[in-house]
């Protein structure tokens, strides 16, 4: 779950939408179109359980913070981490009001099971970049927790993965600045898209949603 502290920032969660389908991302974040389906409702419910900003739990050498607001000036994105675990480590960073040094580790909660694509890993890497800028540190690992498998998967946050995030976000910023919505590129992913009825992939191959709606209003 994400929110913007400033309208000039793009939502961090948009990285997952963009990787799944740039057109879907543009419909949501540029044209402000949205439609609920079972997947989005279940995903929101799962994140509501994880994103409790009033929960700050300390157990032994680990401090767990839920719903932590993060942002990156270099990427121009902001949002929330489901969970950030601060684990005591001699090479870690200091936290205000908490003795000791800690290494921040992002943990993202997901509905279902691990995906074939890299969208979840890219979103986690984007969270790591935000945390690195905020705490002036380096983060080389994070975790994805999948509700269906009830299992945490470790993700190595390599420089290559972070560079891929930067390339994607640069393109997102370009599209947003120019208000560009990509044309339809149909594929198997269309069947699971929450915007299928809005995108209308069979009809929209040659025109944008905005143009289609304007034309229908004139009819």
């Amino acid at each position: 779950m994400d929110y913007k502290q400033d309208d000039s920032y793009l939502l961090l969660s948009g990285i997952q939408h963009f990787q799944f389908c740039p057109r879907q991302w543009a419909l949501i974040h540029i044209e402000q179109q949205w439609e609920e389906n079972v997947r989005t409702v279940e995903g929101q419910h799962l994140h509501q359980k994880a994103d409790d900003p009033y929960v700050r739990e300390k157990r032994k050498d680990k401090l767990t913070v839920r719903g932590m607001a993060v942002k990156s000036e270099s990427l121009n994105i902001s949002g929330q981490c489901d969970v950030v675990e601060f684990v005591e480590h001699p090479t870690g960073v200091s936290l205000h009001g908490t003795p000791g040094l800690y290494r921040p580790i992002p943990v993202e909660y997901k509905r279902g099971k691990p995906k074939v694509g890299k969208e979840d890993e890219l979103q986690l890497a984007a969270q790591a970049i935000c945390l690195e800028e905020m705490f002036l540190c380096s983060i080389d690992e994070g975790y994805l927790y999948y509700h269906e498998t009830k299992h945490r998967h470790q993700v190595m946050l390599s420089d290559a993965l972070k560079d891929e995030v930067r390339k994607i976000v640069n393109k997102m910023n370009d599209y947003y600045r120019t208000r560009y919505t990509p044309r339809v590129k149909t594929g198997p992913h269309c069947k699971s898209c929450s915007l299928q009825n809005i995108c209308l992939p069979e009809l929209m191959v040659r025109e944008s949603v905005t143009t289609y709606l304007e034309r229908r209003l004139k009819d």
Side-chain angles (χ1 to χ4, degrees):
M1 182 177 294
D2 289 291
Y3 69 92
K4 288 193 285 187
Q5 296 175 313
D6 188 306
D7 286 342
S8 63
Y9 287 95
L10 297 182
L11 287 176
L12 189 154
S13 60
I15 293 172
Q16 189 178 38
H17 296 143
F18 196 93
Q19 182 69 8
F20 175 77
C21 173
R23 178 175 174 81
Q24 184 202 63
W25 173 85
L27 290 174
I28 295 171
H29 297 269
I30 296 177
E31 299 195 19
Q32 302 295 304
Q33 304 283 344
W34 188 246
E35 182 171 284
E36 299 282 12
N37 68 3
V38 173
R39 291 180 177 83
T40 58
V41 172
E42 289 184 355
Q44 289 168 6
H45 177 69
L46 178 61
H47 280 80
Q48 285 170 0
K49 294 174 65 177
D51 294 346
D52 185 349
Y54 300 102
V55 174
R56 180 185 170 99
E57 185 179 29
K58 180 72 163 69
R59 289 188 179 181
K60 296 182 179 180
D61 63 345
K62 182 190 298 181
L63 173 66
T64 301
V65 179
R66 303 179 187 275
M68 180 176 176
V70 296
K71 69 176 182 179
S72 165
E73 297 289 348
S74 66
L75 295 180
N76 190 45
I77 58 174
S78 67
Q80 285 186 348
C81 293
D82 287 342
V83 173
V84 180
E85 295 179 348
F86 293 92
V87 181
E88 285 194 62
H89 195 276
T91 63
V93 298
S94 59
L95 303 177
H96 179 71
T98 304
L101 299 176
Y102 296 82
R103 293 176 59 238
I105 300 175
V107 182
E108 178 71 7
Y109 283 69
K110 293 296 181 184
R111 173 197 172 279
K113 55 187 177 181
K115 300 178 179 63
V116 176
K118 296 171 60 179
E119 53 263 37
D120 292 347
E121 287 83 358
L122 290 166
Q123 185 178 356
L124 192 68
Q127 293 177 2
I129 292 173
C130 291
L131 291 167
E132 288 176 338
E133 289 188 21
M134 293 169 62
F135 291 98
L136 301 178
C137 65
S138 177
I139 300 174
D140 57 11
E141 67 172 325
Y143 290 89
L144 292 167
Y145 178 88
Y146 289 94
H147 183 65
E148 186 173 319
T149 62
K150 308 293 185 185
H151 182 68
R152 279 177 30 147
H153 297 260
Q154 184 182 39
V155 178
M156 302 311 298
L157 304 173
S158 64
D159 290 339
L161 187 63
K162 293 173 185 175
D163 286 342
E164 192 170 348
V165 168
R166 293 185 178 94
K167 290 178 182 178
I168 290 172
V169 175
N170 285 340
K171 188 173 291 186
M172 288 166 54
N173 276 290
D174 288 342
Y175 285 7
Y176 192 83
R177 184 175 59 255
T178 58
R179 317 304 291 180
Y180 172 69
T181 299
R183 292 180 179 275
V184 169
K185 289 186 178 180
T186 57
H189 63 284
C190 293
K191 294 181 180 179
S192 62
C193 179
S194 59
L195 299 185
Q196 187 176 12
N197 292 331
I198 294 174
C199 180
L200 302 173
E202 293 83 4
L203 299 177
M204 307 305 295
V205 174
R206 293 185 175 85
E207 61 182 336
S208 70
V209 169
T210 301
T211 302
Y212 170 77
L213 292 176
E214 288 176 351
R215 177 169 60 79
R216 286 298 301 273
L217 288 172
K218 292 177 181 178
D219 291 344

